[in-house]
């Protein structure tokens, strides 16, 4: 059977659901350019990005939780270690346990923050795009009881 261009494109862009495990090394071949669905993690989970390439992108959404409550564990998205690969950009924080509308913006220091921690997430939608061989640009939102944290 001949494969159409549409079938080929759909196969390349099929969503990827991550496993509920403590550590996952993301790859360009399996995860880049696809929707990445984060599970309701049973422990702190670290998802490590590959070395950035300008234009390579990762789009995270989740968690896959059926209840109306947030995930009780944390997800850490890591650019690497040693402060040579890092994040630039900001995330919008939507405080889901606030008594009034509470929205703020949190961001990287733009020169060394290599992790983003998402604690007790109710929902997140984060896009990360390589803008050089060392820098990932991040944008999106996190709805949670806890402010997402950028760190070295």
């Amino acid at each position: 059977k001949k494969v159409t261009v549409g079938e080929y494109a759909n196969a390349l862009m099929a969503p990827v659901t991550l496993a509920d495990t403590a550590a996952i090394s993301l790859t360009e071949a399996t995860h880049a350019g696809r929707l990445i669905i984060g599970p309701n993690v049973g422990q702190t989970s670290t998802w490590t990005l590959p070395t950035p390439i300008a234009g390579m992108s990762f789009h995270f959404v989740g968690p896959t939780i059926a209840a109306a409550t947030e995930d009780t564990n944390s997800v850490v998205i890591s650019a690497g270690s040693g402060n040579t690969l890092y994040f630039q950009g900001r995330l919008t924080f939507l405080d889901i346990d606030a008594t009034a509308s509470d929205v703020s913006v949190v961001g990287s220091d733009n020169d060394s923050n290599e992790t983003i921690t998402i604690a007790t997430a109710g929902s997140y939608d984060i896009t990360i795009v390589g803008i050089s061989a060392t820098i990932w640009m991040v944008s999106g939102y996190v709805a949670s009881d806890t402010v997402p944290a950028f760190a070295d």
Side-chain angles (χ1 to χ4, degrees):
K1 172 189 173 195
K2 272 187 161 179
V3 176
T4 68
V5 172
E7 290 169 328
Y8 181 74
N10 288 340
L12 290 176
M13 297 180 67
V16 177
T17 300
L18 297 179
D20 180 9
T21 186
I24 297 175
S25 293
L26 303 173
T27 66
E28 179 181 10
T30 303
H31 304 97
R34 297 180 177 199
L35 181 66
I36 301 169
I37 302 168
N40 177 19
V41 295
Q43 67 286 309
T44 296
S45 295
T46 301
W47 304 337
T48 303
L49 298 167
T51 300
I53 298 170
M56 182 167 49
S57 66
F58 295 85
H59 183 188
F60 299 92
V61 297
T64 55
I65 187 168
T69 60
E70 63 275 358
D71 194 339
T72 57
N73 293 292
S74 298
V75 167
V76 178
I77 301 174
S78 173
S81 62
N83 297 333
T84 57
L85 305 175
Y86 57 90
F87 295 108
Q88 289 186 348
R90 300 183 178 279
L91 292 170
T92 301
F93 171 58
L94 309 168
D95 189 345
I96 59 177
D97 69 350
T99 55
S101 177
D102 191 2
V103 177
S104 60
V105 176
V106 295
S108 168
D109 65 3
N110 290 336
D111 67 9
S112 66
N113 287 160
E114 60 197 28
T115 63
I116 303 167
T117 300
I118 305 164
T120 63
S123 176
Y124 54 83
D125 188 328
I126 299 171
T127 300
I128 299 174
V129 178
I131 59 172
S132 76
T134 58
I135 302 169
W136 290 105
M137 177 59 72
V138 60
S139 67
Y141 78 85
V142 173
S144 174
D145 291 341
T146 307
V147 178
F150 286 83
D152 290 354

